[in-house]
Amino acid sequence: MHLLMLSSDVKIFDAGSRVANRMALYGSIVDELLIVVAGVGVPQEITLAPNVRAVTAGGTNRFSSFLNMQRTLRALTKEKAYDIVSAQDPFFIGVLGYGIAKARHIPFQVQLHTDCFSLGFLTESPRRVIEALLAIFILGRATCIRVVSERVLKSVRKVTKVPVTVLPIHTEYTSDVGPTRSNIGSLKFLSVSRLTSEKRVHLIIDAVALTPDAELTIVGDGPLKKSLEFRVKRLGLGERVRFVGWQDPAQYYESADVFVQASRFEGYGVSLIEAGLSGLAIITTDVGIVGEVFEDKKEALVVSGTSSAIAVAMKRLIEDKEIRMRLGAQALESARHHSMSMEEYLLCYQRALSRCSI
């Protein structure tokens, strides 16, 4: 099988990154994988495996990168025939994928990693509404669809009857549960997140301000970092909230007591699974795999999207060690049950592609 994949993830060009390694592994289940990436900047090309290559035509801005990607796709598909076109989202990348698949008369797979029909997504900004409308159009014209959770499947079923495969995101994280934790002093809360508006990390910071015995470590980076740092300073939380940037979160999972997430929407929630595999008690909003893997009061405390609700949950876990330990133990069991090996994941991925080629 010769697979043409469309992506907007420029981390593919970072040799050794998680996404680059994952793309290289996909080469084990296809004859050839060509990844065309929409990215701002200079043109790039990288070989990730003998049969896996990624290219981007670059561009000075998003619009020019979109046009350059379109021209690149036309040229590449004239040179060689592909068996499947797979777009990593049903938005603007999906539009390009649909156009190429239709022009070359080949099957079209759409991947959906977020819950783009949820209220949280639709109310975030006018752009999200446009993306949801594009998704309705593109998903209805796909040959097959791959989603990352049952929540996203339910959303997709509202707009199309196209065959759908549910394949959770593979999580490579492993942990020695709990050996470095100490319950001396304040309880250690952890957020692992991109610092963007939909993640609502500011709500977690505000909750810490309402919870005197809470300390928070934020692992992640993004466009809101400076404003969040200013918020911490304004609230006088400099000694209780620290930003460590984006890095391997393993050491922070191992030393934390509780994981906190306040996302407006998620399709899956990799950090939730990682926290569960670390045996952490979890506080989260009702997004992604919540309800599918982690249930309220069983493996997590599920809260509304307000700082006061998060603070109430924080105080409860500070005051009741028994509940905190029980939630962590059950989250660990559920996360392990939900996880699969890379070999199992690749087999399921191959089946999803085969379903699209029929």
Side-chain angles (χ1 to χ4, degrees), residues 44-108:
Q44 296 184 69
E45 181 171 337
I46 187 172
T47 298
L48 300 172
N51 63 334
V52 180
R53 184 166 60 104
V55 299
T56 178
T60 56
N61 52 48
R62 287 186 178 181
F63 181 70
S64 65
S65 68
F66 181 87
L67 294 179
N68 289 342
M69 185 178 186
Q70 185 179 46
R71 285 191 287 267
T72 300
L73 284 168
R74 287 175 178 172
L76 290 170
T77 54
K78 280 183 179 179
E79 295 171 1
K80 188 166 189 175
Y82 290 88
D83 299 306
I84 296 177
V85 175
S86 180
Q88 288 192 345
D89 70 52
F91 312 131
F92 294 101
I93 295 294
V95 169
L96 288 177
Y98 172 61
I100 288 297
K102 184 177 181 181
R104 305 301 184 219
H105 305 288
I106 53 179
F108 176 42

Side-chain angles (χ1 to χ4, degrees), residues 22 26 46 61 63 72 95 99 113-114 144 150 165 207 210 228 240 270-272 334 348:
R22 188 170 68 249
Y26 289 163
I46 187 172
N61 52 48
F63 181 70
T72 300
V95 169
H113 299 87
T114 194
C144 68
E150 293 292 335
T165 298
L210 299 171
L228 291 171
R240 293 202 287 132
V270 170
S271 57
L272 279 176
S334 185
C348 292

Side-chain angles (χ1 to χ4, degrees), residues 9-251:
D9 193 344
V10 295
K11 290 182 180 178
I12 288 172
F13 296 98
D14 296 338
S17 67
R18 284 187 179 184
V19 63
N21 291 338
R22 188 170 68 249
M23 294 297 142
L25 285 170
Y26 289 163
S28 66
I29 59 172
V30 296
D31 298 304
E32 178 191 8
L33 171 59
L34 174 62
I35 310 141
V36 182
V37 181
V40 175
V42 298
Q44 296 184 69
E45 181 171 337
I46 187 172
T47 298
L48 300 172
N51 63 334
V52 180
R53 184 166 60 104
V55 299
T56 178
T60 56
N61 52 48
R62 287 186 178 181
F63 181 70
S64 65
S65 68
F66 181 87
L67 294 179
N68 289 342
M69 185 178 186
Q70 185 179 46
R71 285 191 287 267
T72 300
L73 284 168
R74 287 175 178 172
L76 290 170
T77 54
K78 280 183 179 179
E79 295 171 1
K80 188 166 189 175
Y82 290 88
D83 299 306
I84 296 177
V85 175
S86 180
Q88 288 192 345
D89 70 52
F91 312 131
F92 294 101
I93 295 294
V95 169
L96 288 177
Y98 172 61
I100 288 297
K102 184 177 181 181
R104 305 301 184 219
H105 305 288
I106 53 179
F108 176 42
Q109 182 193 63
V110 178
Q111 304 172 36
L112 188 53
H113 299 87
T114 194
D115 190 3
C116 64
F117 302 118
S118 68
L119 184 62
F121 186 95
L122 293 171
T123 57
E124 188 192 18
S125 69
R127 176 187 170 184
R128 296 302 193 188
V129 175
I130 294 171
E131 288 178 334
L133 291 173
L134 277 176
I136 293 172
F137 177 84
I138 294 299
L139 291 171
R141 286 154 180 79
T143 309
C144 68
I145 300 168
R146 180 167 65 84
V147 301
V148 295
S149 66
E150 293 292 335
R151 181 187 297 268
V152 179
L153 172 62
K154 290 177 182 177
S155 291
V156 168
R157 276 289 164 256
K158 296 175 183 178
V159 300
T160 182
K161 300 292 185 181
V162 169
V164 180
T165 298
V166 178
L167 180 59
I169 297 173
H170 181 260
T171 306
E172 299 172 354
Y173 181 74
T174 57
S175 172
D176 295 324
V177 178
T180 64
R181 290 186 193 131
S182 170
N183 292 324
I184 300 173
S186 299
L187 212 64
K188 296 177 182 179
F189 292 83
L190 175 67
S191 169
V192 179
S193 173
R194 286 167 42 242
L195 304 183
T196 52
S197 60
E198 73 271 17
K199 302 300 183 180
R200 300 194 295 192
V201 176
H202 68 282
L203 294 179
I204 304 174
I205 292 171
D206 291 351
V208 171
L210 299 171
T211 313
D213 293 325
E215 295 180 359
L216 173 66
T217 298
I218 300 171
V219 180
D221 209 341
L224 296 185
K225 183 178 181 180
K226 287 186 177 180
S227 66
L228 291 171
E229 287 176 332
F230 178 77
R231 193 183 200 94
V232 167
K233 184 177 181 180
R234 178 172 57 81
L235 291 171
L237 299 175
E239 294 184 357
R240 293 202 287 132
V241 177
R242 62 175 180 147
F243 296 83
V244 298
W246 178 248
Q247 53 183 288
D248 185 343
Q251 63 176 309

Side-chain angles (χ1 to χ4, degrees), residues 174-352:
T174 57
S175 172
D176 295 324
V177 178
T180 64
R181 290 186 193 131
S182 170
N183 292 324
I184 300 173
S186 299
L187 212 64
K188 296 177 182 179
F189 292 83
L190 175 67
S191 169
V192 179
S193 173
R194 286 167 42 242
L195 304 183
T196 52
S197 60
E198 73 271 17
K199 302 300 183 180
R200 300 194 295 192
V201 176
H202 68 282
L203 294 179
I204 304 174
I205 292 171
D206 291 351
V208 171
L210 299 171
T211 313
D213 293 325
E215 295 180 359
L216 173 66
T217 298
I218 300 171
V219 180
D221 209 341
L224 296 185
K225 183 178 181 180
K226 287 186 177 180
S227 66
L228 291 171
E229 287 176 332
F230 178 77
R231 193 183 200 94
V232 167
K233 184 177 181 180
R234 178 172 57 81
L235 291 171
L237 299 175
E239 294 184 357
R240 293 202 287 132
V241 177
R242 62 175 180 147
F243 296 83
V244 298
W246 178 248
Q247 53 183 288
D248 185 343
Q251 63 176 309
Y252 299 103
Y253 284 123
E254 290 175 4
S255 61
D257 299 297
V258 180
F259 178 82
V260 191
Q261 175 178 277
S263 298
R264 180 186 291 271
F265 58 87
E266 294 278 355
Y268 187 72
V270 170
S271 57
L272 279 176
I273 286 290
E274 292 176 342
L277 291 172
S278 301
L280 293 181
I282 294 170
I283 298 171
T284 179
T285 46
D286 186 9
V287 295
I289 53 174
V290 174
E292 178 183 346
V293 180
F294 302 121
E295 296 182 20
D296 186 26
K297 298 182 180 62
K298 184 177 179 183
E299 294 92 2
L301 295 183
V302 181
V303 299
S304 61
T306 65
S307 57
S308 59
I310 297 170
V312 167
M314 285 181 166
K315 291 172 184 176
R316 182 179 181 188
L317 294 184
I318 288 171
E319 295 167 358
D320 196 328
K321 181 179 178 180
E322 183 179 344
I323 291 178
R324 189 170 74 244
M325 300 303 290
R326 176 174 57 80
L327 288 174
Q330 291 178 322
L332 174 61
E333 182 180 354
S334 185
R336 282 177 172 171
H337 179 74
H338 182 74
S339 300
M340 64 178 73
S341 69
M342 178 55 77
E343 291 75 16
E344 292 171 318
Y345 176 81
L346 290 173
L347 180 60
C348 292
Y349 195 99
Q350 189 175 40
R351 288 173 179 166

